[in-house]
Amino acid sequence: MLYEAERQQIVDTCLEMAAKGLVVGTAGNVSIRVGEHVVMSPSAVPYETMTAADVAVVDMDGKQLEGNYKPSSECPLHLSVYKATDAGAITHNHAPASTALGLVVDEIPISHYYSAMFGGAIRVAPYATFGTDELASNVTNALNGRLGALMANHGAITIGKDLPAALDKLPYLEYICEIELRALWTGRAVKVLTDEQMAEASEGIKGYTAHAANEG
Ligand code: 13P
Protein backbone atom coordinates (compact mmCIF):
# COMPACT_ATOMS: atom_id res chain seq x y z
CA MET A 1 0.00 0.00 0.00
CA LEU A 2 1.37 3.43 -0.97
CA TYR A 3 2.05 5.87 1.90
CA GLU A 4 0.70 3.66 4.68
CA ALA A 5 2.01 5.91 7.48
CA GLU A 6 0.50 9.06 5.95
CA ARG A 7 -2.82 7.30 5.34
CA GLN A 8 -2.96 6.23 8.99
CA GLN A 9 -2.14 9.83 9.95
CA ILE A 10 -5.20 10.96 7.96
CA VAL A 11 -7.42 8.48 9.83
CA ASP A 12 -5.99 9.55 13.21
CA THR A 13 -6.46 13.24 12.38
CA CYS A 14 -10.09 12.73 11.34
CA LEU A 15 -10.71 10.97 14.66
CA GLU A 16 -8.94 13.76 16.54
CA MET A 17 -11.04 16.43 14.79
CA ALA A 18 -14.18 14.52 15.82
CA ALA A 19 -12.95 14.04 19.42
CA LYS A 20 -12.20 17.77 19.71
CA GLY A 21 -15.64 18.72 18.43
CA LEU A 22 -14.17 20.37 15.33
CA VAL A 23 -16.40 18.46 12.88
CA VAL A 24 -20.02 17.44 12.58
CA GLY A 25 -20.33 13.92 11.12
CA THR A 26 -18.07 13.74 8.06
CA ALA A 27 -18.32 17.49 7.37
CA GLY A 28 -14.62 18.06 6.89
CA ASN A 29 -11.61 16.65 5.11
CA VAL A 30 -7.84 16.55 5.44
CA SER A 31 -4.87 15.84 3.20
CA ILE A 32 -1.09 15.56 3.12
CA ARG A 33 1.15 16.36 0.17
CA VAL A 34 3.82 13.72 -0.52
CA GLY A 35 5.96 14.88 -3.42
CA GLU A 36 3.77 14.87 -6.56
CA HIS A 37 1.00 12.94 -4.80
CA VAL A 38 -1.67 13.86 -2.25
CA VAL A 39 -3.01 11.54 0.44
CA MET A 40 -6.61 12.58 1.16
CA SER A 41 -9.53 11.58 3.38
CA PRO A 42 -12.18 9.65 1.42
CA SER A 43 -15.56 11.22 0.67
CA ALA A 44 -18.41 10.62 3.13
CA VAL A 45 -16.75 7.73 4.97
CA PRO A 46 -17.53 7.82 8.73
CA TYR A 47 -14.36 8.51 10.70
CA GLU A 48 -15.02 5.78 13.28
CA THR A 49 -14.84 3.04 10.65
CA MET A 50 -12.30 4.60 8.26
CA THR A 51 -9.11 2.57 7.71
CA ALA A 52 -5.80 3.48 6.09
CA ALA A 53 -6.79 1.44 3.02
CA ASP A 54 -9.90 3.63 2.62
CA VAL A 55 -7.78 6.81 2.38
CA ALA A 56 -7.32 8.00 -1.20
CA VAL A 57 -4.05 8.72 -2.99
CA VAL A 58 -4.30 11.07 -5.98
CA ASP A 59 -1.86 12.79 -8.29
CA MET A 60 -1.80 16.55 -8.86
CA ASP A 61 -4.35 16.17 -11.68
CA GLY A 62 -6.78 14.43 -9.34
CA LYS A 63 -6.28 10.98 -10.85
CA GLN A 64 -6.84 8.38 -8.14
CA LEU A 65 -3.96 5.94 -7.66
CA GLU A 66 -5.16 4.02 -4.60
CA GLY A 67 -7.86 3.88 -1.92
CA ASN A 68 -11.08 1.93 -1.38
CA TYR A 69 -13.21 5.06 -1.82
CA LYS A 70 -13.09 8.15 -3.97
CA PRO A 71 -11.24 11.14 -2.52
CA SER A 72 -13.01 13.98 -0.71
CA SER A 73 -15.44 15.98 -2.79
CA GLU A 74 -13.13 18.93 -2.02
CA CYS A 75 -10.27 17.31 -3.96
CA PRO A 76 -10.15 20.26 -6.43
CA LEU A 77 -9.80 22.64 -3.47
CA HIS A 78 -6.94 20.69 -1.89
CA LEU A 79 -5.08 20.37 -5.19
CA SER A 80 -5.54 24.04 -6.01
CA VAL A 81 -4.12 25.09 -2.63
CA TYR A 82 -1.10 22.78 -3.00
CA LYS A 83 -0.40 24.18 -6.48
CA ALA A 84 -0.50 27.78 -5.18
CA THR A 85 1.36 27.38 -1.87
CA ASP A 86 4.16 25.40 -0.25
CA ALA A 87 1.69 23.84 2.24
CA GLY A 88 2.39 20.26 3.22
CA ALA A 89 -1.09 19.60 4.65
CA ILE A 90 -4.64 20.95 4.73
CA THR A 91 -7.52 20.66 7.20
CA HIS A 92 -11.07 21.77 6.44
CA ASN A 93 -14.10 21.76 8.72
CA HIS A 94 -17.56 23.25 9.27
CA ALA A 95 -17.25 24.35 12.91
CA PRO A 96 -20.06 26.61 14.17
CA ALA A 97 -18.32 29.90 15.06
CA SER A 98 -16.16 30.06 11.92
CA THR A 99 -19.11 29.15 9.73
CA ALA A 100 -21.39 31.69 11.47
CA LEU A 101 -18.87 34.55 11.30
CA GLY A 102 -18.28 33.85 7.60
CA LEU A 103 -21.96 34.73 7.07
CA VAL A 104 -21.57 38.29 8.31
CA VAL A 105 -18.07 39.57 7.44
CA ASP A 106 -15.77 39.49 4.40
CA GLU A 107 -12.67 39.52 6.59
CA ILE A 108 -12.29 38.80 10.31
CA PRO A 109 -11.58 42.13 12.04
CA ILE A 110 -8.28 41.97 13.93
CA SER A 111 -9.90 41.93 17.34
CA HIS A 112 -7.54 39.27 18.69
CA TYR A 113 -3.79 39.23 18.20
CA TYR A 114 -3.98 35.50 17.37
CA SER A 115 -4.76 36.64 13.82
CA ALA A 116 -0.96 37.05 13.64
CA MET A 117 -0.67 33.23 13.75
CA PHE A 118 -2.40 33.19 10.38
CA GLY A 119 -0.28 35.90 8.76
CA GLY A 120 -2.73 38.78 9.22
CA ALA A 121 -6.42 39.52 8.72
CA ILE A 122 -8.20 36.28 7.85
CA ARG A 123 -10.30 36.53 4.68
CA VAL A 124 -13.67 35.00 3.87
CA ALA A 125 -13.72 33.27 0.47
CA PRO A 126 -16.92 34.05 -1.50
CA TYR A 127 -19.45 31.23 -1.69
CA ALA A 128 -19.44 28.67 -4.49
CA THR A 129 -20.91 25.16 -4.58
CA PHE A 130 -18.88 22.59 -2.62
CA GLY A 131 -16.46 20.52 -4.66
CA THR A 132 -16.28 22.97 -7.59
CA ASP A 133 -13.29 24.57 -9.27
CA GLU A 134 -14.91 27.94 -8.53
CA LEU A 135 -14.81 27.24 -4.79
CA ALA A 136 -11.23 25.99 -5.13
CA SER A 137 -10.22 29.23 -6.81
CA ASN A 138 -12.08 31.47 -4.32
CA VAL A 139 -10.47 29.74 -1.33
CA THR A 140 -7.01 29.65 -2.88
CA ASN A 141 -7.23 33.42 -3.41
CA ALA A 142 -8.42 33.97 0.18
CA LEU A 143 -5.43 32.00 1.48
CA ASN A 144 -2.88 34.20 -0.30
CA GLY A 145 -0.19 34.88 2.34
CA ARG A 146 -2.32 33.31 5.08
CA LEU A 147 -2.45 30.00 6.94
CA GLY A 148 -6.23 30.01 7.24
CA ALA A 149 -9.43 31.33 5.71
CA LEU A 150 -13.18 31.15 6.16
CA MET A 151 -15.46 29.89 3.39
CA ALA A 152 -18.75 31.81 3.16
CA ASN A 153 -21.86 29.70 3.86
CA HIS A 154 -19.62 26.68 4.34
CA GLY A 155 -16.78 26.47 6.89
CA ALA A 156 -13.08 27.02 7.48
CA ILE A 157 -9.70 25.87 6.20
CA THR A 158 -6.18 25.85 7.62
CA ILE A 159 -2.86 24.89 6.07
CA GLY A 160 0.56 24.09 7.50
CA LYS A 161 3.95 22.58 6.79
CA ASP A 162 2.59 19.22 7.93
CA LEU A 163 -0.67 17.76 9.24
CA PRO A 164 -0.06 18.49 12.96
CA ALA A 165 0.72 22.12 12.05
CA ALA A 166 -2.46 22.51 9.97
CA LEU A 167 -4.60 20.77 12.61
CA ASP A 168 -3.10 22.91 15.38
CA LYS A 169 -4.51 26.04 13.71
CA LEU A 170 -8.13 24.86 13.43
CA PRO A 171 -9.13 25.38 17.10
CA TYR A 172 -7.39 28.77 17.15
CA LEU A 173 -9.37 29.87 14.09
CA GLU A 174 -12.59 28.68 15.72
CA TYR A 175 -11.62 30.54 18.92
CA ILE A 176 -10.91 33.81 17.09
CA CYS A 177 -14.31 33.56 15.38
CA GLU A 178 -16.11 32.72 18.64
CA ILE A 179 -14.54 35.76 20.35
CA GLU A 180 -15.49 38.08 17.49
CA LEU A 181 -19.06 36.74 17.42
CA ARG A 182 -19.49 37.21 21.19
CA ALA A 183 -18.19 40.77 20.93
CA LEU A 184 -20.56 41.50 18.01
CA TRP A 185 -23.51 40.11 20.02
CA THR A 186 -23.05 42.89 22.60
CA GLY A 187 -23.90 45.46 19.93
CA ARG A 188 -20.99 47.60 21.16
CA ALA A 189 -18.10 48.76 18.94
CA VAL A 190 -15.41 46.06 18.77
CA LYS A 191 -11.85 47.21 19.50
CA VAL A 192 -9.42 46.30 16.75
CA LEU A 193 -5.62 46.30 16.80
CA THR A 194 -3.56 48.83 14.84
CA ASP A 195 -1.08 47.76 12.16
CA GLU A 196 1.74 48.56 14.60
CA GLN A 197 0.24 46.43 17.35
CA MET A 198 -0.22 43.57 14.90
CA ALA A 199 3.38 43.89 13.65
CA GLU A 200 4.60 43.58 17.24
CA ALA A 201 2.28 40.65 17.90
CA SER A 202 3.58 38.90 14.77
CA GLU A 203 7.15 39.17 16.04
CA GLY A 204 6.08 37.85 19.45
CA ILE A 205 4.17 34.94 17.92
CA LYS A 206 7.25 33.92 15.91
CA GLY A 207 9.31 33.77 19.12
CA TYR A 208 6.47 31.99 20.95
CA THR A 209 6.15 29.20 18.40
CA ALA A 210 9.96 28.90 18.01
CA HIS A 211 10.23 28.42 21.79
CA ALA A 212 7.54 25.70 21.72
CA ALA A 213 9.27 24.00 18.79
CA ASN A 214 12.57 23.94 20.72
CA GLU A 215 10.88 22.35 23.68
CA GLY A 216 9.09 19.82 21.47
P1 13P B 1 -16.29 14.93 1.86
O1 13P B 1 -16.81 13.87 2.81
O2 13P B 1 -16.51 14.56 0.41
O3 13P B 1 -14.87 15.29 2.18
O4 13P B 1 -17.18 16.24 2.02
C1 13P B 1 -17.28 16.92 3.23
C2 13P B 1 -17.13 18.40 3.06
O5 13P B 1 -16.70 19.04 3.98
C3 13P B 1 -17.47 19.09 1.81
O6 13P B 1 -17.13 20.44 1.90
Side-chain angles (χ1 to χ4, degrees), residues 74-159:
E74 297 300 354
C75 187
L77 164 60
H78 288 246
L79 296 181
S80 168
V81 171
Y82 286 127
K83 284 173 191 163
T85 69
D86 60 1
I90 298 173
T91 55
H92 161 57
N93 71 347
H94 299 179
S98 44
T99 308
L101 188 59
L103 301 176
V104 294
V105 298
D106 295 322
E107 187 175 270
I108 305 176
I110 302 183
S111 49
H112 199 294
Y113 74 86
Y114 277 175
S115 288
M117 281 187 193
F118 293 85
I122 298 158
R123 306 180 191 98
V124 182
Y127 178 78
T129 307
F130 80 96
T132 61
D133 290 338
E134 188 186 356
L135 180 65
S137 158
N138 292 351
V139 177
T140 302
N141 290 338
L143 278 171
N144 186 19
R146 301 287 183 271
L147 294 175
L150 303 188
M151 297 157 61
N153 309 83
H154 188 150
I157 183 169
T158 58
I159 62 177

Side-chain angles (χ1 to χ4, degrees), residues 26-29 43-44 72-74 92 94 154:
T26 59
N29 34 73
S43 187
S72 167
S73 49
E74 297 300 354
H92 161 57
H94 299 179
H154 188 150

Side-chain angles (χ1 to χ4, degrees), residues 1-12 14 30-32 38-43 45 50-58 64-72:
M1 178 166 48
L2 278 173
Y3 312 125
E4 192 166 354
E6 287 83 359
R7 288 161 89 168
Q8 188 56 47
Q9 216 187 337
I10 296 280
V11 174
D12 294 343
C14 287
V30 302
S31 70
I32 305 171
V38 176
V39 181
M40 192 177 301
S41 54
S43 187
V45 174
M50 189 191 294
T51 67
D54 295 339
V55 173
V57 180
V58 298
Q64 186 162 0
L65 307 176
E66 275 192 15
N68 293 338
Y69 297 97
K70 62 183 175 109
S72 167

